[in-house]
Amino acid sequence: DGSARLSGDVLTIVHKAAAEIGELGDNTAVLRDAIRSDELLQRALRSPSVDGIVLGHTRWASIGIISQPNAHPQCSDEATAAAADAATAAAGPFVTAVLNGDVDNHADIVATEDLAIPVEVTTDAKVIPTLISRGLARGLDPRDAFREAVVGLEGSVAIGAAVTDTLDRLLLALRGSGQAL
């Protein structure tokens, strides 16, 4: 394979990184097992009074640090007192989203849309649910708010999103090339 052509030190580094990261699919298997074996989650989801959807994703961070605040799914809440007042006045339903890929223009979106992203959140994925929620606050239906948000993204992305008002639907999009849902 291609790695066999690497020389000494580089091959050792690649091997060590692969050992730390694990085999492709390991993180998904671990996540699925954790969901299946979480008795509290299973009880909550079986409750007749619960309407919900479980949306999850494992990702190697390519934008932003690997941290709890950057974990997926990301949600549509915004930060700061001024933004909280503005967001409260125009808040749409709560939105969660996951991203596979990179939103290359996320910093531009944060600036042009005046998004109040919490300082501890450095992932590009945060702009997605925030944009969708703002579209919903302007009166768009979930599909149109999702479409509008995705159209404004530059980069190669695969996105899954859920809106609290329409938990019977999962919004999915592919844009660019090479990303999988």
Side-chain angles (χ1 to χ4, degrees):
D1 70 20
S3 64
R5 290 189 296 268
L6 297 173
S7 64
D9 292 340
V10 174
L11 183 57
T12 301
I13 291 168
V14 169
H15 176 73
K16 284 181 182 176
E20 288 179 21
I21 294 168
E23 294 294 319
L24 185 60
D26 279 356
N27 52 0
T28 304
V30 169
L31 181 61
R32 286 182 179 159
D33 287 344
I35 290 170
R36 282 189 203 108
S37 63
D38 188 322
E39 291 180 26
L40 182 59
L41 176 62
Q42 295 302 320
R43 260 195 331 230
L45 292 174
R46 283 190 211 104
S47 173
S49 63
V50 171
D51 287 327
I53 188 168
V54 176
L55 177 63
H57 172 53
T58 59
R59 176 186 190 211
W60 295 345
S62 52
I63 296 179
I65 62 171
I66 299 171
S67 67
Q68 188 64 36
N70 284 340
H72 290 209
Q74 284 291 312
C75 63
S76 57
D77 60 346
E78 295 188 58
T80 74
D85 292 340
T88 301
F94 190 74
V95 179
T96 56
V98 296
L99 166 67
N100 184 13
D102 295 320
V103 177
D104 296 334
N105 63 332
H106 74 280
D108 293 335
I109 291 171
V110 170
T112 59
E113 298 296 326
D114 198 27
L115 302 181
I117 305 299
V119 294
E120 66 274 8
V121 178
T122 58
T123 179
D124 52 342
K126 179 66 173 170
V127 300
I128 298 165
T130 307
L131 290 173
I132 297 167
S133 183
R134 286 193 174 188
L136 294 165
R138 290 192 330 269
L140 295 176
D141 69 52
R143 199 165 109 177
D144 288 337
F146 181 69
R147 183 181 300 123
E148 182 179 274
V150 172
V151 166
L153 306 178
E154 294 175 7
S156 183
V157 298
I159 300 167
V163 178
T164 55
D165 288 358
T166 55
L167 290 176
D168 60 334
R169 297 180 188 190
L170 188 59
L171 302 161
L172 303 171
L174 288 172
R175 182 162 184 165
S177 61
Q179 304 308 322
L181 287 171

